[in-house]
Amino acid sequence: MSFKSLLKSASVAAACLLVGTGTAVAQGCDITEFGSDKGQLYLEAENELIANDNAAAALTKLNQLRAQELNCYEEGAALGLSAQIKIANNDYLGAAQDLETSLSKGYISAENRTPLLLSLSQIYFAEDRLETGLNWMNQWLAAGGQPNRDQKWTLAAVYNKLDDNREALKWAEQVFAEDGPNASRQVYDFLIFLYDANGELAKKAQLLEVLLERNPGDRQLWDAISGDYFKADNQRKAFEVQKAMYLGGILSTEDELMRVVNFYNSFDVPFEAARILEKEMNAGRIDRNFEKLELLANLYQVAREHERAIPVIQQAAAINNSGAMYERLGRSYADLQQWDKAEESLQKALEVGGLRDRGLAWVQIGQSRYERDDRAGAREAFRNANNRGGRGWLAFMQSEEATAKALRVFELDTVRREIDNEKKACDQLIILGGENLPEGCNDVADRLAEATERVVEAQNS
């Protein structure tokens, strides 16, 4: 029932408590009837209102009555009729004031007092005088009033409007207890709002989950659950909700889909992030622009899926003619040890320009040449780099060559020493007068000379 319907029914009911067939008014008055002339005026006023539906004529008669000195019984009846006339004129607040006057003067019987308190509360609620209405409602409750389901709902709404959400929650929970699990969505939504306002997120989550089971396609519910996890800074839970929304086909805009991609990336699942991004770009739901292609390439590279990254980088480089993307392409080829393609891409990067560090590109070119055993070309590239990396590589190559030379000299000198020892043995045999010398003694001197020459050549190379 709406507030406006409550207003009329409550007001009429309240006024009827004060008018009737001469029922004695309680506490404040022991007189039980009108004087004859005053009674006639009252009946005429009442007849104009009820029988003739003429509120103006009724008010004229009532004013004539009130112009006289009235006893308590007559005043109480006049107040009741005045309230009825004001109701007919839609002056509900005026009617309420008449009823309050009757209450304050004790003109309301004990049996009528409690229902009148409820009626006054409903009048003021309907007129948006919430604090006044709540005051009368609390008096009604204190007098033993037992609110029904709709009255509990009214109390919850009023307390919410007065920013007392703790008290509003108390009444809303009672409504929900009466309605049961099949309560209307309005009740669920209001209770969810109140749980949120009071910080009772666990109870809110329970209701959201119940609603989600009933309405799995309801986007607002998914957003509410995800939003709660965001507010609680529980990114992992928020991610799981977003992932479920994506898998359920609920997300569709580019921003929503990119949020899922970024979630996967932030939780160190770059391959899944790349897979979704590429899928949605192919479906046309994410724009295939340079920025997105660059991100896709990054994701594949971080996931070490270099073969997947290469065609993406090629597309991005073609769109923007970007030296940086050609450099990245070169690094991807290098990771796959496709050294010739690596150098080709890096040379293209230098040609196109726009690199933040050209020296780094030259270092990478030098490395690709080194891996193909083009040492002279590698040294040239490292010199072109003219940076710490290039100098490091040059030092490494020099050290590597020095080590190889030393090893070669050592190996040759080992052979020379063996021949020298052989010659010494032959010389000793000759001194001892040996006649049958080993065959090797015949050319040992020549072999020693050749071995010595090779050592010297290796040392001087």
Side-chain angles (χ1 to χ4, degrees):
M1 182 179 293
S2 70
F3 264 150
K4 289 303 177 185
S5 351
L6 280 172
L7 178 143
K8 187 159 188 176
S9 62
S11 302
V12 171
C16 288
L17 293 173
L18 299 176
V19 292
T21 57
T23 304
V25 206
Q27 308 166 1
C29 183
D30 56 4
I31 302 173
T32 61
E33 60 183 19
F34 279 99
S36 59
D37 56 337
K38 297 172 187 174
Q40 182 60 36
L41 275 174
Y42 178 85
L43 291 174
E44 290 175 2
E46 185 180 50
N47 185 65
E48 290 290 353
L49 178 65
I50 298 174
N52 298 332
D53 194 22
N54 190 338
L59 181 59
T60 300
K61 293 290 184 182
L62 180 62
N63 287 338
Q64 292 176 19
L65 174 63
R66 282 179 155 176
Q68 303 182 47
E69 185 176 347
L70 303 178
N71 62 37
C72 59
Y73 182 85
E74 294 163 343
E75 183 182 15
L79 283 168
L81 186 55
S82 172
Q84 278 195 303
I85 292 171
K86 288 175 180 178
I87 289 168
N89 289 325
N90 295 320
D91 180 10
Y92 298 106
L93 288 177
Q97 289 169 2
D98 286 339
L99 298 176
E100 290 181 55
T101 301
S102 294
L103 271 174
S104 66
K105 291 189 174 184
Y107 293 164
I108 305 299
S109 65
E111 65 183 31
N112 288 336
R113 184 178 184 279
T114 299
L116 179 57
L117 295 174
L118 176 62
S119 297
L120 284 169
S121 71
Q122 292 172 324
I123 292 172
Y124 281 112
F125 286 155
E127 290 295 303
D128 208 29
R129 302 288 185 89
L130 301 183
E131 291 181 348
T132 304
L134 189 58
N135 176 54
W136 288 112
M137 177 67 87
N138 285 329
Q139 289 187 51
W140 175 68
L141 292 171
Q146 297 295 319
N148 60 28
R149 185 265 182 207
D150 289 339
Q151 289 159 351
K152 292 174 183 176
W153 182 251
T154 298
L155 278 166
V158 168
Y159 275 114
N160 169 245
K161 288 183 178 181
L162 294 175
D163 293 326
D164 187 350
N165 286 322
R166 177 58 59 186
E167 195 67 18
L169 178 59
K170 179 184 81 174
W171 292 107
E173 285 185 322
Q174 292 185 39
V175 171
F176 185 71
E178 289 191 34
D179 290 354
N182 294 322
S184 70
R185 181 61 183 270
Q186 181 188 29
V187 173
Y188 270 98
D189 287 345
F190 188 41
L191 199 52
I192 287 168
F193 166 81
L194 292 174
Y195 279 137
D196 184 74
N198 286 291
E200 298 191 31
L201 299 183
K203 291 183 177 180
K204 176 184 176 183
Q206 290 176 355
L207 285 188
L208 286 170
E209 288 172 5
V210 171
L211 280 179
L212 200 56
E213 288 178 5
R214 287 167 48 175
N215 307 280
D218 190 326
R219 173 63 187 272
Q220 289 183 333
L221 293 175
W222 286 102
D223 286 340
I225 294 172
S226 178
D228 281 347
Y229 286 132
F230 274 121
K231 284 196 295 185
D233 200 28
N234 191 334
Q235 299 296 311
R236 169 61 70 176
K237 287 287 189 180
F239 168 46
E240 294 299 331
V241 173
Q242 290 288 315
K243 181 168 68 173
M245 293 171 72
Y246 174 71
L247 295 175
I250 295 174
L251 305 181
S252 59
T253 70
E254 180 168 315
D255 286 345
E256 293 167 346
L257 297 170
M258 285 304 302
R259 187 182 306 127
V260 176
V261 170
N262 292 330
F263 260 129
Y264 271 108
N265 188 29
S266 64
F267 283 102
D268 296 325
V269 195
F271 178 74
E272 192 63 21
R275 189 188 66 80
I276 292 174
L277 177 56
E278 187 164 35
K279 174 185 174 184
E280 297 303 336
M281 287 170 64
N282 291 337
R285 300 205 295 176
I286 293 180
D287 190 18
R288 186 183 294 274
N289 56 28
F290 177 80
E291 178 187 8
K292 298 300 190 303
L293 287 168
E294 184 178 30
L295 173 60
L296 181 58
N298 285 340
L299 293 171
Y300 275 136
Q301 286 185 309
V302 171
R304 304 202 65 77
E305 292 285 338
H306 300 294
E307 291 184 353
R308 295 176 183 266
I310 285 173
V312 178
I313 299 171
Q314 288 172 330
Q315 292 179 57
I319 288 176
N320 212 30
N321 197 29
S322 166
M325 293 307 293
Y326 282 116
E327 180 186 21
R328 179 173 297 175
L329 183 60
R331 283 191 276 114
S332 290
Y333 279 127
D335 288 330
L336 293 172
Q337 297 187 6
Q338 297 181 22
W339 302 112
D340 52 345
K341 291 183 178 179
E343 179 173 356
E344 180 183 349
S345 299
L346 291 164
Q347 291 284 11
K348 180 71 172 177
L350 290 169
E351 177 186 333
V352 170
L355 301 182
R356 286 185 300 178
D357 188 350
R358 291 176 62 85
L360 178 59
W362 275 113
V363 169
Q364 292 168 338
I365 290 172
Q367 183 181 1
S368 72
R369 291 175 178 177
Y370 172 86
E371 295 293 346
R372 287 176 288 160
D373 205 25
D374 179 6
R375 300 183 69 86
R379 275 191 288 269
E380 178 188 15
F382 292 141
R383 292 191 189 99
N384 288 340
N386 193 28
N387 60 14
R388 183 176 179 180
R391 289 188 290 273
W393 266 101
L394 287 169
F396 168 75
M397 290 179 68
Q398 183 177 359
S399 173
E400 186 181 49
E401 290 163 358
T403 300
K405 175 181 176 179
L407 180 59
R408 177 62 177 161
V409 169
F410 173 76
E411 290 172 346
L412 292 171
D413 193 51
T414 300
V415 173
R416 185 196 63 76
R417 286 198 303 271
E418 290 176 354
I419 298 172
D420 186 51
N421 289 335
E422 181 184 356
K423 182 176 182 304
K424 288 177 180 178
C426 289
D427 290 344
Q428 188 66 33
L429 288 173
I430 292 171
I431 292 171
L432 294 175
E435 296 181 359
N436 297 318
L437 296 174
E439 184 178 347
C441 290
N442 296 328
D443 61 352
V444 67
D446 293 336
R447 285 189 286 116
L448 179 59
E450 290 177 6
T452 302
E453 184 179 354
R454 285 197 293 268
V455 170
V456 172
E457 287 177 354
Q459 289 174 335
N460 294 330
S461 63

